[in-house]
Amino acid sequence: MKVSINGKKTDIENGATIEKLLVSLGIRPEGIAVEINKEIVPRAGHGRTIIKENDSIEIIRMAGGG
Amino acid sequence: MKINDALKIGGRTFASRLMVGSGKYPSNEVMKNALEESGAEVVTVAVRRVDLKNPSDSFLGHIDLSRYTILPNTAACYTAEDAIRTARLAREALSTDLVKLEVIGDEKTLFPDNEELLKAAKVLVKEGFIVLPYVSDDPIMAKKLEDIGCAAVMPLAAPIGSGLGIRNPYNIRIILETVKIPVIVDAGVGTASDAAIAMELGCDGVLMNTAIAGAKDPVKMARAMRLAVEAGRLAFLSGRIPKKLYATASSPIEGMIE
């Protein structure tokens, strides 16, 4: 199914959880935050939150800044 | 010399009154050394998308998290809504309630949009954030931010990255007289004397990024800034002599040879 990850249209496995998506993208869950359709999904919910078609997903972490 | 002169913000105590940014360093190694030399305990960071082409790269991996308090910012947010969203993401990612709240009003000057800033600050304070707002050097705004529960105010010295130094020391003085919360000068410092002036005015701290990261030798400049902030603070605490137009002799008049 098609979703948007960090602004990029991507095909992912149907019924994937956030946890599975992070593993498939090679992103460790420490120090990151995930939003689906502008709502934060707390870390504790990554394993049970199922991504739906056309979801807009943002995955952020810290970068250098002032 | 040891002085008991800690900076207290939002229930946290810091021995250093210099806060530093982590952007624009020539390399992570230089940043690491500069942070060390600066003596700072608070380091600001930005919230950005994970680079999906480089998913294992963790910027925070270059910062010793056991030593530094990480202060996430909402840089490049132009609305209260975006700043609130960014602050919430930072809290989720870092498990911190601290936020350096920026709501920018204009790309050219990067001056704050104080109206949106106040709006965002109100929401975030209610949500339990320790809000440190980057604000114009405006005493009225500083007071409003204090009244709604901000933990400090961070008036700019000059535009971000400009290195122009304290453009309006009189406003900074009025802000210091107006609010009881810590006043941290944020943005616009160019060199050590600028930081010293901020501290001599009585500011509680100085936050800077470009002045260190953009210097030819960031590590040396970090040390210069550390010394300047300490010197300025000590001078403020010592109580400077009044300025006079004419001379007052330092050596006694009595006992001169004839």
Side-chain angles (χ1 to χ4, degrees):
Chain A
M1 63 179 178
K2 284 214 179 338
V3 295
S4 158
I5 304 174
N6 286 358
K8 205 175 159 234
K9 288 267 178 257
T10 313
D11 252 321
I12 65 163
E13 191 190 326
N14 275 343
T17 61
I18 291 178
E19 193 174 87
K20 273 196 180 154
L21 176 70
L22 293 177
V23 171
S24 72
L25 292 171
I27 300 169
R28 293 173 57 83
E30 295 84 31
I32 65 148
V34 180
E35 260 186 357
I36 297 184
N37 304 327
K38 296 194 175 183
E39 288 292 326
I40 290 175
V41 181
R43 199 178 311 272
H46 286 187
R48 59 173 181 269
T49 303
I50 294 163
I51 299 162
K52 295 188 295 294
E53 177 110 43
N54 294 324
D55 271 352
S56 175
I57 303 157
E58 292 283 346
I59 310 168
I60 64 87
R61 65 161 51 115
M62 298 304 133
Chain B
M1 187 180 69
K2 254 217 160 350
I3 45 167
N4 185 16
D5 180 39
L7 170 62
K8 291 191 180 83
I9 295 178
R12 291 163 170 82
T13 302
F14 304 104
S16 168
R17 289 173 178 271
L18 174 59
M19 301 181 182
V20 294
S22 59
K24 299 199 285 193
Y25 281 92
S27 71
N28 289 325
E29 192 57 29
V30 171
M31 174 185 73
K32 222 164 135 183
N33 294 334
L35 294 186
E36 167 95 38
E37 277 298 317
S38 75
E41 289 159 276
V42 177
V43 178
T44 62
V45 295
V47 174
R48 292 294 176 266
R49 283 172 164 169
V50 170
D51 179 2
L52 298 176
K53 290 193 191 101
N54 201 0
S56 58
D57 178 47
S58 163
F59 176 75
L60 281 187
H62 302 288
I63 297 176
D64 182 352
L65 300 179
S66 66
R67 278 185 61 180
Y68 301 106
T69 297
I70 301 298
L71 175 59
N73 68 30
T74 62
C77 289
Y78 281 78
T79 62
E81 192 191 341
D82 279 352
I84 292 165
R85 189 178 163 200
T86 303
R88 288 173 181 158
L89 283 167
R91 173 154 75 177
E92 164 66 15
L94 292 171
S95 306
T96 181
D97 292 333
L98 290 167
V99 63
K100 175 187 158 182
L101 184 62
E102 292 182 45
V103 186
I104 302 301
D106 164 56
E107 214 174 311
K108 193 171 175 185
T109 59
L110 297 179
F111 281 146
D113 181 331
N114 291 320
E115 196 181 349
E116 289 291 298
L117 179 72
L118 191 64
K119 217 192 286 177
K122 275 183 190 164
V123 172
L124 293 172
V125 167
K126 275 205 187 109
E127 290 183 11
F129 281 90
I130 295 164
V131 179
L132 286 68
Y134 159 69
V135 62
S136 307
D137 54 357
D138 174 356
I140 308 300
M141 269 310 298
K143 184 73 176 79
K144 285 185 182 182
L145 289 163
E146 176 179 51
D147 287 346
I148 61 142
C150 289
V153 280
M154 307 212 289
L156 54 85
I160 294 174
S162 69
L164 289 171
I166 315 258
R167 301 322 302 146
N168 197 338
Y170 303 102
N171 270 31
I172 300 289
R173 271 176 63 184
I174 296 172
I175 291 172
L176 285 163
E177 284 183 17
T178 307
V179 300
K180 292 183 189 76
I181 51 176
V183 177
I184 316 284
V185 158
D186 175 13
V189 165
T191 189
S193 52
D194 298 333
I197 287 168
M199 297 310 294
E200 285 171 19
L201 286 170
C203 290
D204 297 279
V206 181
L207 196 161
M208 64 182 76
N209 191 153
T210 311
I212 295 175
K216 270 190 190 149
D217 186 335
V219 180
K220 258 193 199 126
M221 187 57 96
R223 181 159 174 76
M225 291 302 185
R226 171 195 202 147
L227 295 171
V229 167
E230 282 177 14
R233 179 67 184 173
L234 277 175
F236 169 71
L237 293 175
S238 308
R240 59 153 300 152
I241 59 162
K243 290 181 183 179
K244 286 178 293 186
L245 191 55
Y246 292 102
T248 315
S250 307
S251 309
I253 306 297
E254 301 81 42
M256 286 286 293
I257 52 168
E258 282 175 28

Coordinates of all heavy atoms in Angstrom, one line a residue, chain A residues 5-8 10 25-28 30-35 38 40-44 46 58-66, chain B residues 21-23 44-50 52 54-60 72-73 81 85 88-90 92-94 100 102 209:
Chain A
I5 N 6.2 8.8 3.7 CA 7.1 8.8 4.8 C 8.1 10.0 4.6 O 8.8 10.1 3.6 CB 7.9 7.5 4.9 CG1 7.0 6.3 4.9 CG2 8.8 7.5 6.1 CD1 7.7 5.0 4.9
N6 N 8.1 10.9 5.6 CA 8.9 12.1 5.5 C 8.8 12.8 4.1 O 9.7 13.2 3.5 CB 10.4 11.8 5.8 CG 10.5 11.5 7.3 OD1 9.6 11.6 8.1 ND2 11.8 11.2 7.7
G7 N 7.5 12.9 3.7 CA 7.2 13.6 2.5 C 7.4 12.9 1.2 O 7.2 13.4 0.1
K8 N 7.8 11.6 1.3 CA 8.1 10.8 0.1 C 7.1 9.7 0.0 O 6.9 8.9 1.0 CB 9.6 10.2 0.2 CG 10.2 9.9 -1.1 CD 11.6 9.5 -1.0 CE 12.0 8.7 -2.2 NZ 12.6 7.4 -1.9
T10 N 5.8 6.2 -0.7 CA 6.5 4.9 -0.5 C 5.5 3.8 -0.5 O 4.4 3.9 0.0 CB 7.3 4.9 0.8 OG1 8.0 6.2 0.9 CG2 8.4 3.8 0.9
L25 N 13.0 0.1 7.7 CA 13.8 1.3 7.2 C 15.2 1.4 7.8 O 16.0 2.2 7.5 CB 13.0 2.5 7.6 CG 11.7 2.8 6.9 CD1 10.9 4.0 7.5 CD2 11.9 3.1 5.4
G26 N 15.4 0.5 8.8 CA 16.8 0.5 9.5 C 16.9 1.6 10.5 O 18.0 2.1 10.7
I27 N 15.8 2.0 11.1 CA 15.8 3.1 12.1 C 15.6 2.5 13.5 O 14.6 1.9 13.7 CB 14.7 4.1 11.8 CG1 14.9 4.8 10.4 CG2 14.7 5.2 12.8 CD1 13.7 5.6 9.9
R28 N 16.6 2.8 14.3 CA 16.4 2.4 15.7 C 15.5 3.3 16.4 O 15.4 4.5 16.2 CB 17.8 2.4 16.4 CG 18.8 1.3 15.8 CD 20.1 1.4 16.5 NE 20.1 1.4 17.9 CZ 20.0 0.2 18.6 NH1 20.1 -0.9 17.9 NH2 20.0 0.2 19.9
E30 N 15.4 4.5 19.4 CA 15.8 5.5 20.4 C 16.0 6.9 19.8 O 16.5 7.0 18.7 CB 17.2 5.0 21.0 CG 17.2 3.8 21.8 CD 17.3 2.5 20.9 OE1 17.9 2.6 19.8 OE2 16.7 1.5 21.3
G31 N 15.6 7.9 20.5 CA 15.8 9.3 20.1 C 15.0 9.7 18.9 O 15.4 10.7 18.3
I32 N 14.0 9.0 18.6 CA 13.2 9.4 17.4 C 11.7 9.6 17.9 O 11.4 9.3 19.0 CB 13.2 8.4 16.3 CG1 12.5 7.1 16.7 CG2 14.6 8.1 15.7 CD1 11.8 6.4 15.6
A33 N 10.9 10.3 17.1 CA 9.5 10.4 17.3 C 8.8 10.2 16.0 O 9.3 10.5 15.0 CB 9.2 11.8 17.9
V34 N 7.6 9.6 16.1 CA 6.8 9.2 14.9 C 5.4 9.9 15.0 O 4.8 9.9 16.1 CB 6.7 7.7 14.8 CG1 5.8 7.4 13.6 CG2 8.0 7.0 14.8
E35 N 5.1 10.5 13.9 CA 3.7 11.1 13.8 C 3.0 10.4 12.7 O 3.6 10.1 11.6 CB 3.8 12.5 13.3 CG 3.7 13.6 14.3 CD 3.7 15.0 13.6 OE1 3.9 15.1 12.4 OE2 3.6 16.0 14.4
K38 N -0.1 13.8 11.6 CA 0.2 14.9 12.5 C -0.1 14.6 14.0 O -0.1 15.5 14.8 CB -0.6 16.2 12.1 CG -0.1 16.8 10.8 CD -0.6 18.2 10.6 CE -0.1 18.8 9.3 NZ -0.5 20.2 9.1
I40 N 1.2 12.4 17.2 CA 2.3 11.6 17.7 C 1.8 10.2 18.1 O 0.8 10.1 18.8 CB 3.0 12.3 18.8 CG1 3.7 13.6 18.3 CG2 4.0 11.4 19.5 CD1 4.4 14.4 19.4
V41 N 2.6 9.2 17.7 CA 2.3 7.9 18.3 C 3.4 7.6 19.3 O 4.6 7.5 18.9 CB 2.3 6.8 17.2 CG1 2.0 5.4 17.8 CG2 1.4 7.2 16.1
P42 N 3.1 7.6 20.6 CA 4.1 7.4 21.6 C 4.8 6.0 21.4 O 4.2 5.1 20.9 CB 3.3 7.4 22.9 CG 2.0 8.0 22.6 CD 1.7 7.8 21.2
R43 N 6.1 6.1 21.8 CA 6.9 4.9 21.6 C 6.3 3.6 22.0 O 6.3 2.6 21.3 CB 8.2 5.1 22.4 CG 9.4 4.3 22.0 CD 10.6 4.6 22.9 NE 10.8 6.1 23.0 CZ 11.5 6.8 22.1 NH1 12.1 6.1 21.2 NH2 11.6 8.1 22.2
A44 N 5.6 3.6 23.2 CA 5.0 2.4 23.7 C 3.9 1.9 22.8 O 3.5 0.7 22.9 CB 4.3 2.7 25.1
H46 N 4.1 1.8 19.4 CA 4.7 1.5 18.0 C 4.3 0.1 17.6 O 4.1 -0.2 16.4 CB 6.2 1.7 18.0 CG 6.6 3.1 18.0 ND1 7.9 3.5 17.8 CD2 5.9 4.3 18.1 CE1 8.0 4.8 17.9 NE2 6.8 5.3 18.1
E58 N 5.6 10.9 9.6 CA 6.8 11.7 9.9 C 7.6 11.0 10.9 O 7.1 10.6 12.0 CB 6.5 13.1 10.4 CG 5.8 14.0 9.3 CD 6.7 14.6 8.3 OE1 7.9 14.5 8.4 OE2 6.2 15.1 7.3
I59 N 8.9 10.8 10.6 CA 9.9 10.2 11.6 C 11.0 11.2 11.8 O 11.7 11.6 10.8 CB 10.4 8.9 11.0 CG1 9.3 8.0 10.6 CG2 11.3 8.2 12.1 CD1 9.8 6.8 9.8
I60 N 11.1 11.7 13.0 CA 12.1 12.8 13.3 C 13.1 12.3 14.3 O 12.9 11.4 15.1 CB 11.4 14.1 13.7 CG1 10.7 13.9 15.1 CG2 10.5 14.6 12.7 CD1 11.5 14.1 16.3
R61 N 14.3 13.0 14.3 CA 15.2 12.9 15.3 C 16.0 14.2 15.4 O 15.6 15.2 14.7 CB 16.2 11.7 15.1 CG 17.1 11.9 13.9 CD 18.3 11.0 13.9 NE 18.0 9.6 14.2 CZ 18.2 8.6 13.4 NH1 18.7 8.8 12.2 NH2 18.0 7.3 13.7
M62 N 16.9 14.3 16.3 CA 17.6 15.6 16.6 C 18.7 15.8 15.5 O 19.4 14.9 15.1 CB 18.2 15.6 18.0 CG 17.2 15.5 19.0 SD 15.9 16.8 18.9 CE 14.4 15.8 19.1
A63 N 18.9 17.1 15.2 CA 20.0 17.5 14.3 C 20.7 18.7 14.9 O 20.2 19.2 15.9 CB 19.4 17.9 12.9
G64 N 21.8 19.0 14.4 CA 22.5 20.2 14.9 C 21.7 21.4 14.7 O 21.0 21.6 13.7
G65 N 21.7 22.3 15.8 CA 20.9 23.5 15.7 C 21.2 24.5 16.8 O 21.8 24.1 17.8
G66 N 20.8 25.7 16.6 CA 21.1 26.8 17.6 C 20.0 27.2 18.5 O 18.9 26.7 18.4
Chain B
G21 N 24.8 26.2 20.9 CA 24.1 25.5 19.9 C 25.0 24.4 19.3 O 26.3 24.4 19.5
S22 N 24.4 23.6 18.5 CA 25.2 22.4 17.9 C 25.2 22.5 16.4 O 25.5 21.5 15.8 CB 24.6 21.1 18.4 OG 23.3 21.0 18.1
G23 N 24.8 23.6 15.8 CA 24.7 23.7 14.4 C 25.9 24.3 13.7 O 26.7 25.0 14.4
T44 N 21.8 23.2 22.6 CA 20.6 23.2 21.8 C 20.7 22.3 20.6 O 21.8 22.2 20.0 CB 20.2 24.6 21.4 OG1 21.2 25.1 20.5 CG2 20.0 25.5 22.5
V45 N 19.6 21.8 20.2 CA 19.5 20.9 19.0 C 18.2 21.3 18.2 O 17.3 21.9 18.8 CB 19.5 19.4 19.3 CG1 20.8 19.0 19.9 CG2 18.3 19.0 20.2
A46 N 18.1 20.9 17.0 CA 16.9 21.1 16.2 C 16.2 19.8 15.9 O 16.8 18.7 16.0 CB 17.3 21.7 14.8
V47 N 15.0 19.8 15.6 CA 14.1 18.7 15.3 C 14.0 18.5 13.8 O 13.5 19.5 13.1 CB 12.7 18.8 15.9 CG1 11.8 17.7 15.5 CG2 12.8 18.9 17.4
R48 N 14.5 17.5 13.2 CA 14.5 17.3 11.8 C 14.1 15.9 11.4 O 14.3 15.0 12.1 CB 15.8 17.7 11.1 CG 16.2 19.2 11.2 CD 15.3 20.1 10.4 NE 15.6 21.5 10.6 CZ 15.0 22.3 11.5 NH1 14.1 21.8 12.3 NH2 15.3 23.6 11.5
R49 N 13.6 15.8 10.1 CA 13.3 14.4 9.6 C 14.5 13.5 9.6 O 15.6 13.9 9.3 CB 12.8 14.6 8.2 CG 11.4 15.1 8.0 CD 11.0 15.4 6.6 NE 9.6 15.5 6.4 CZ 9.0 16.0 5.3 NH1 9.8 16.3 4.3 NH2 7.7 16.0 5.2
V50 N 14.3 12.2 9.9 CA 15.3 11.2 9.8 C 15.6 11.1 8.3 O 14.7 11.1 7.5 CB 14.8 9.9 10.3 CG1 15.8 8.7 9.9 CG2 14.6 9.9 11.8
L52 N 16.2 9.2 5.4 CA 15.9 7.8 5.1 C 17.0 7.1 4.3 O 17.1 5.9 4.3 CB 14.6 7.6 4.4 CG 13.4 8.2 5.1 CD1 12.1 8.1 4.3 CD2 13.2 7.4 6.5
N54 N 20.1 7.5 5.1 CA 21.2 7.3 6.1 C 20.5 7.1 7.5 O 20.7 7.9 8.4 CB 22.1 8.6 6.1 CG 23.4 8.3 6.7 OD1 23.7 7.2 7.1 ND2 24.3 9.3 6.7
P55 N 19.7 6.0 7.6 CA 18.8 5.9 8.7 C 19.5 5.6 10.1 O 18.9 5.9 11.1 CB 17.9 4.7 8.4 CG 18.7 3.9 7.4 CD 19.6 4.9 6.6
S56 N 20.8 5.2 10.0 CA 21.4 4.9 11.3 C 22.2 6.0 11.8 O 22.8 6.0 12.9 CB 22.3 3.6 11.1 OG 23.3 3.9 10.1
D57 N 22.3 7.1 11.1 CA 23.1 8.3 11.5 C 22.4 9.0 12.6 O 21.3 9.6 12.4 CB 23.3 9.2 10.3 CG 24.1 10.4 10.7 OD1 25.2 10.3 11.4 OD2 23.7 11.6 10.4
S58 N 23.0 9.0 13.8 CA 22.3 9.7 14.9 C 23.2 10.9 15.4 O 24.3 10.7 15.9 CB 22.1 8.7 16.1 OG 21.9 9.5 17.3
F59 N 22.7 12.1 15.1 CA 23.5 13.3 15.5 C 23.8 13.3 17.0 O 24.9 13.6 17.4 CB 22.7 14.5 15.1 CG 23.4 15.8 15.6 CD1 24.5 16.3 14.9 CD2 23.0 16.5 16.7 CE1 25.2 17.4 15.3 CE2 23.6 17.7 17.1 CZ 24.7 18.1 16.4
L60 N 22.8 12.9 17.8 CA 23.0 12.9 19.3 C 24.1 11.9 19.7 O 24.6 12.0 20.8 CB 21.7 12.6 20.0 CG 20.7 13.7 20.1 CD1 19.5 13.3 21.0 CD2 21.3 15.0 20.6
P72 N 16.0 21.1 23.0 CA 15.5 21.1 21.6 C 14.9 22.5 21.3 O 14.2 23.1 22.1 CB 14.5 20.0 21.6 CG 14.0 19.9 23.0 CD 15.1 20.3 23.9
N73 N 15.1 22.9 20.1 CA 14.5 24.2 19.6 C 13.4 23.9 18.6 O 13.2 22.8 18.1 CB 15.5 25.1 19.1 CG 16.1 24.7 17.8 OD1 15.5 24.0 17.0 ND2 17.4 25.1 17.5
E81 N 1.3 26.9 15.6 CA 0.9 25.5 15.4 C 2.1 24.6 15.1 O 2.3 23.5 15.7 CB -0.1 25.4 14.2 CG -0.8 24.1 14.0 CD -1.6 24.1 12.7 OE1 -1.9 25.1 12.1 OE2 -1.8 22.9 12.3
R85 N 3.8 21.7 17.5 CA 4.0 20.3 17.0 C 5.4 19.9 17.1 O 5.7 18.8 17.5 CB 3.5 20.4 15.5 CG 3.5 19.1 14.8 CD 3.0 19.2 13.4 NE 3.3 18.0 12.6 CZ 3.3 18.0 11.3 NH1 3.2 19.1 10.6 NH2 3.6 16.9 10.7
R88 N 6.3 19.1 20.8 CA 5.8 17.8 21.2 C 6.6 16.7 20.6 O 6.8 15.7 21.3 CB 4.3 17.7 20.7 CG 3.3 18.6 21.5 CD 2.0 18.5 20.8 NE 1.0 19.4 21.5 CZ -0.1 19.8 20.9 NH1 -0.4 19.5 19.7 NH2 -0.9 20.6 21.6
L89 N 7.0 16.8 19.4 CA 7.9 15.8 18.8 C 9.2 15.6 19.6 O 9.7 14.5 19.8 CB 8.2 16.1 17.3 CG 7.0 15.8 16.3 CD1 7.3 16.4 15.0 CD2 6.8 14.3 16.2
A90 N 9.8 16.8 19.9 CA 11.0 16.8 20.7 C 10.8 16.1 22.0 O 11.7 15.3 22.5 CB 11.5 18.2 20.9
E92 N 8.7 13.8 22.8 CA 8.5 12.4 22.6 C 9.9 11.7 22.3 O 10.2 10.7 22.8 CB 7.6 12.1 21.4 CG 7.6 10.7 20.8 CD 7.1 9.6 21.7 OE1 6.5 9.9 22.7 OE2 7.4 8.5 21.4
A93 N 10.7 12.4 21.5 CA 12.0 11.8 21.0 C 13.0 11.8 22.2 O 13.8 10.9 22.3 CB 12.6 12.6 19.8
L94 N 13.0 12.9 23.0 CA 14.1 13.1 24.0 C 13.6 12.8 25.4 O 14.5 12.8 26.3 CB 14.6 14.5 23.9 CG 15.4 14.9 22.7 CD1 15.6 16.4 22.6 CD2 16.7 14.1 22.6
K100 N 13.3 25.3 23.7 CA 13.7 26.6 23.3 C 12.7 27.0 22.2 O 12.8 26.5 21.1 CB 15.1 26.7 22.8 CG 15.4 28.1 22.3 CD 16.8 28.2 21.6 CE 16.8 29.4 20.7 NZ 18.0 29.5 20.0
E102 N 10.9 28.9 19.5 CA 11.1 30.0 18.5 C 10.0 29.9 17.5 O 9.6 28.9 17.1 CB 12.4 29.6 17.6 CG 13.7 29.7 18.3 CD 14.8 29.4 17.3 OE1 14.8 29.9 16.2 OE2 15.7 28.6 17.7
N209 N 25.5 30.2 19.0 CA 25.8 29.1 18.2 C 26.9 29.5 17.1 O 28.0 29.2 17.1 CB 24.6 28.5 17.5 CG 24.8 27.2 16.7 OD1 23.9 26.4 16.6 ND2 26.0 26.9 16.3

